[in-house]
Amino acid sequence: MSAARLIALDWGSTRLRAFLLGDGGEVLQSRQSDAGAATLKGAEQYAAALAALVGDWRADHPQLKLLACGMVGSQYGWREAPYVRCPADAAALAGQVLKLDDSLSIIPGLVDDAAQPDVMRGEETQIVGALALHPELAAEACLVLPGTHSKWARMKAGRVTGFATHMTGELFALLRQHSVLNRLMPADGSSPASPEAFLQGVDAAREEGGLGHQLFAVRTLGLFNKLAAEQLPDYLSGLLIGHELASELKGDAPRVALIGDPALCSRYAQALTHLGQPEPLLLDNTAPAGLWALAQTMNL
């Protein structure tokens, strides 16, 4: 095991993930807590959450720098970090890092304001990590980060040239739990996976009628027993993801790489191949690799 070189923090809205990194970005240890940015208020709470999770690492390695990404740098975070405008690469991000104190720095987010403002925090670091792990993506690719707010980032010559956010995950949760569509679905929120219903939803997204009309069909398909109750959540998921893909896969799309939760990325991959797209590259959490790459750019 190599010596510890950096404490990397992936600090999102719901969770704080910490990685003790060694030479070359090797993950020596990892931890996480539920002290996400959405649960904290004020510098004292942030400092306490950090001490609770990695206080012993800092005591054992007092010389180590800490580098954080994510919502910790948002308006309601520890302190607001700037946004870097697209097109941007790792050097542009490193050049606008917010130095909280002598040991802790926060990576800025990205903004694409070519048409209307679109922002990301945390995903930019995962993108840097994906490029560090797969340099061939830097030439031209579409990096997709599925989640509550899915990001579609366009890469060219090593820079993010622009991106788009889709509220697919949040819409699914709201419709599944708090709309009329909920009434015919399993009450406990769980149901057996139904790949057939999922792909039926993906196909429906390609038909005429618009999303608003097609969403009501989730209810009527259940009312008339065209789909079983336990199939409706998968159909809804396929419909929403299908509309997301339809809006992004226009013309000759470059190579697609999916970054994030393996189960969710697998679902997107299933939809992509069903629509005739090449098999995408699947990547797990690339934030540690991105934080290491950015630390090297900053000479930490």
Side-chain angles (χ1 to χ4, degrees):
M1 183 181 294
S2 62
R5 302 296 184 192
L6 179 73
I7 296 176
L9 306 171
D10 180 8
W11 207 327
S13 294
T14 58
R15 281 186 294 277
L16 164 59
R17 297 181 177 91
F19 306 89
L20 187 64
L21 302 183
D23 293 329
E26 177 189 3
V27 178
L28 306 178
Q29 296 182 53
S30 64
R31 298 172 178 172
Q32 69 174 16
S33 76
D34 292 328
T39 71
L40 305 172
K41 186 175 182 179
E44 289 186 3
Q45 289 189 10
Y46 278 93
L50 182 62
L53 189 63
V54 301
D56 58 332
W57 287 357
R58 301 187 75 178
D60 293 341
H61 310 283
Q63 80 285 1
L64 291 188
K65 301 293 186 181
L66 292 85
L67 188 59
C69 69
M71 297 306 286
V72 65
S74 69
Q75 283 184 331
Y76 62 81
W78 196 332
R79 188 185 302 170
E80 188 175 7
Y83 285 108
V84 176
R85 281 183 165 77
C86 292
D89 57 12
L93 291 167
Q96 295 194 46
V97 163
L98 171 66
K99 191 172 183 180
L100 198 64
D101 56 36
D102 288 339
S103 61
L104 174 58
S105 298
I106 300 175
I107 300 298
L110 277 183
V111 60
D112 180 1
D113 56 2
Q116 59 186 21
D118 205 334
V119 297
M120 65 169 67
R121 284 200 186 276
E123 294 92 352
E124 75 294 320
T125 301
Q126 294 183 65
I127 289 170
V128 172
L131 299 184
L133 295 169
H134 293 273
E136 71 277 8
L137 295 173
E140 186 173 14
C142 181
L143 305 188
V144 184
L145 298 96
T148 304
H149 298 156
S150 297
K151 308 289 184 181
W152 288 69
R154 300 177 292 279
M155 297 297 309
K156 194 161 188 178
R159 300 191 298 173
V160 179
T161 59
F163 61 92
T165 301
H166 296 263
M167 293 178 61
T168 305
E170 185 167 0
L171 281 173
F172 175 82
L174 289 170
L175 292 166
R176 173 68 180 87
Q177 299 168 19
H178 303 293
S179 80
V180 68
L181 304 182
N182 167 265
R183 298 177 185 175
L184 293 177
M185 297 183 188
D188 62 0
S190 64
S191 60
S194 176
E196 299 83 4
F198 173 74
L199 293 179
Q200 187 176 337
V202 172
D203 285 333
R206 295 190 284 179
E207 298 172 1
E208 297 292 331
L211 178 59
H213 172 65
Q214 291 173 339
L215 284 172
F216 193 72
V218 179
R219 175 170 170 76
T220 55
L221 286 168
L223 281 174
F224 290 92
N225 298 314
K226 300 291 186 180
L227 286 175
E230 60 270 17
Q231 292 180 299
L232 294 177
D234 282 308
Y235 179 85
L236 174 61
S237 174
L239 183 62
L240 292 171
I241 290 175
H243 274 277
E244 179 183 333
L245 299 185
S247 70
E248 292 293 339
L249 298 175
K250 296 175 181 177
D252 295 326
R255 183 182 185 188
V256 172
L258 293 163
I259 306 168
D261 175 71
L264 185 54
C265 285
S266 176
R267 177 157 286 214
Y268 272 70
Q270 184 183 14
L272 283 164
T273 55
H274 181 71
L275 294 175
Q277 296 295 315
E279 191 78 29
L281 176 65
L282 297 178
L283 300 173
D284 205 336
N285 182 16
T286 58
L291 287 161
W292 176 259
L294 288 164
Q296 302 314 295
T297 304
M298 297 164 57
N299 295 315
L300 285 186

